[in-house]
Amino acid sequence: AVVSTQSTGTCGGWVIGRVIEALDVKWHPECFGCYMCGAELCENGFFKHNGRPICIDCHDLLKRRKMHICNKCDTPIEDYVLWHLKEPYHPYHFSCQICFKPLDSKIKEKDNTYYCQLCYDTEIQDVCAACKKAIDGRAIKAVDKAWCPEHFVCYACERPLTGEKFMLHEKVPYCQFHYTKLFGVRCFYCDNRSSMQVIKVLNKNYCENHFFCSGCDTLLEEQKSKVIEMDMKPYCRHCYDKFPSDMRRKLLESANAAAKNRKATIKKDKDRKASLKKKKDEKKKADREIVNATQAAS
């Protein structure tokens, strides 16, 4: 019988005559072929591969070599398989998102975006601040830098700092012991260095637990207690009130005079710096005028 129907197979044309129905699609007999080698499948058996018909020989070939068929060009993928949306592709069907060159087997992926090896190493991948090599795997991030886990060590003793508490000095990591030893603030009372918070009073530094009243040894709290200076030493209000009134008055006058002298010294120093800067600017201006006059004369 002669049948006329719309084909939805390879060519999309009308079918007049024999119709092949397979894979829920109608085909011309000559259009129903293996999508790999093109062999006609009308009289032979076939397999379904990625939703398309494939002959027995090609199916066996793929099975033996464990090869995938590119979802774009319908040819076997003999090298690297790029899986995109769960479909296999040749890498060269995609381009690097930075340089836009076709990708090869050295494709790199991050956050579902593809890059060539060069752009990935120079633009995307972290570089270790110690060995200056690309970090392939987990990176330690600190102070706007990246480190290999095995290279993130104390600058003084090379003790590994991964998972440990560390301190920074001029953007260089140190273990807490060596940071305290090298850069910790020295307590005026115990003469030991500390990396913790210190109290700065009267041009001196104190550990929080060593900030005592010089009169009664009461632990002073900088924020809650009234600390009074006497002879460059801290006193609590109670001990200060025990001193004779004449002594307190003289100490107050002396402190006010010292403060006034400090202000005058600071002002004098600022005026001196401003005067030096003004002379320097005037000299530069005069030198430029000489240069300009020389160039105009020549």
Side-chain angles (χ1 to χ4, degrees):
V2 176
V3 179
S4 178
T5 182
Q6 176 70 41
S7 170
T8 58
T10 303
C11 67
W14 289 91
V15 179
I16 300 176
R18 187 182 178 189
V19 180
I20 304 296
E21 293 190 18
L23 306 178
D24 298 326
V25 178
K26 297 180 177 64
W27 311 75
H28 290 112
E30 62 273 16
C31 292
F32 184 56
C34 173
Y35 77 96
M36 280 187 61
C37 66
E40 293 188 5
L41 301 175
C42 296
E43 306 300 333
N44 301 310
F46 70 93
F47 288 92
K48 179 182 178 181
H49 188 273
N50 291 341
R52 290 166 291 184
I54 186 173
C55 69
I56 296 175
D57 291 339
C58 291
H59 178 268
D60 291 341
L61 177 64
L62 294 177
K63 188 175 181 180
R64 286 196 305 271
R65 296 185 179 181
K66 298 182 180 180
M67 298 171 67
H68 297 278
I69 300 299
C70 178
N71 195 47
K72 184 176 180 66
C73 63
D74 294 334
T75 59
I77 304 175
E78 297 181 359
D79 195 2
Y80 182 84
V81 179
L82 190 157
W83 291 92
H84 180 67
L85 300 178
K86 298 183 179 181
E87 296 289 348
Y89 290 88
H90 288 105
Y92 52 74
H93 292 310
F94 292 82
S95 59
C96 173
Q97 294 300 302
I98 294 179
C99 66
F100 303 106
K101 293 181 179 179
L103 297 172
D104 55 21
S105 60
K106 295 182 179 179
I107 184 174
K108 293 292 183 179
E109 181 270 337
K110 185 175 183 180
D111 300 331
N112 294 323
T113 305
Y114 304 111
Y115 306 92
C116 66
Q117 183 75 53
L118 179 61
C119 291
Y120 184 81
D121 289 345
T122 56
E123 302 291 339
I124 304 301
Q125 193 171 27
D126 294 318
V127 176
C128 177
C131 65
K132 309 302 180 185
K133 295 181 179 179
I135 303 174
D136 189 13
R138 187 168 70 97
I140 305 295
K141 300 291 186 68
V143 204
D144 299 328
K145 294 181 180 180
W147 315 72
C148 299
E150 63 273 17
H151 293 156
F152 187 58
V153 297
C154 172
Y155 186 77
C157 65
E158 297 186 356
R159 171 188 173 186
L161 297 176
T162 304
E164 301 289 336
K165 186 175 180 179
F166 64 92
M167 315 292 286
L168 295 170
H169 179 73
E170 296 181 353
K171 297 186 177 181
V172 175
Y174 291 85
C175 65
Q176 190 170 1
F177 172 79
H178 280 99
Y179 180 87
T180 302
K181 181 179 179 181
L182 298 172
F183 312 111
V185 179
R186 191 179 296 277
C187 174
F188 180 77
Y189 181 85
C190 65
D191 201 34
N192 292 327
R193 292 186 179 274
S194 173
S195 62
M196 309 304 290
Q197 184 177 357
V198 296
I199 298 175
K200 296 183 179 181
V201 177
L202 311 178
N203 296 324
K204 298 182 179 70
N205 300 305
Y206 296 87
C207 300
E208 288 185 326
N209 296 329
H210 294 158
F211 186 45
F212 299 110
C213 170
S214 299
C216 62
D217 290 335
T218 300
L219 184 62
L220 300 173
E221 298 181 47
E222 186 182 16
Q223 302 298 328
K224 297 181 180 180
S225 302
K226 179 69 174 179
V227 179
I228 302 175
E229 173 191 352
M230 177 175 282
D231 196 22
M232 294 300 294
K233 297 178 182 178
Y235 286 88
C236 65
R237 184 74 193 189
H238 179 72
C239 290
Y240 177 76
D241 289 339
K242 292 181 179 180
F243 287 99
S245 58
D246 290 342
M247 180 183 292
R248 284 183 287 164
R249 178 175 56 78
K250 290 180 180 179
L251 289 172
L252 181 59
E253 291 175 354
S254 176
N256 291 336
K260 187 176 180 180
N261 290 335
R262 282 196 298 269
K263 289 181 179 180
T265 303
I266 293 172
K267 184 176 182 304
K268 184 177 180 181
D269 187 54
K270 287 183 178 180
D271 293 341
R272 183 180 60 82
K273 290 181 179 179
S275 177
L276 291 174
K277 185 177 182 302
K278 184 178 179 181
K279 291 180 179 179
K280 189 175 180 180
D281 292 341
E282 289 176 350
K283 187 177 183 303
K284 286 183 179 180
K285 183 178 179 181
D287 292 341
R288 283 196 300 268
E289 291 177 351
I290 294 173
V291 172
N292 293 335
T294 304
Q295 291 177 349
S298 61

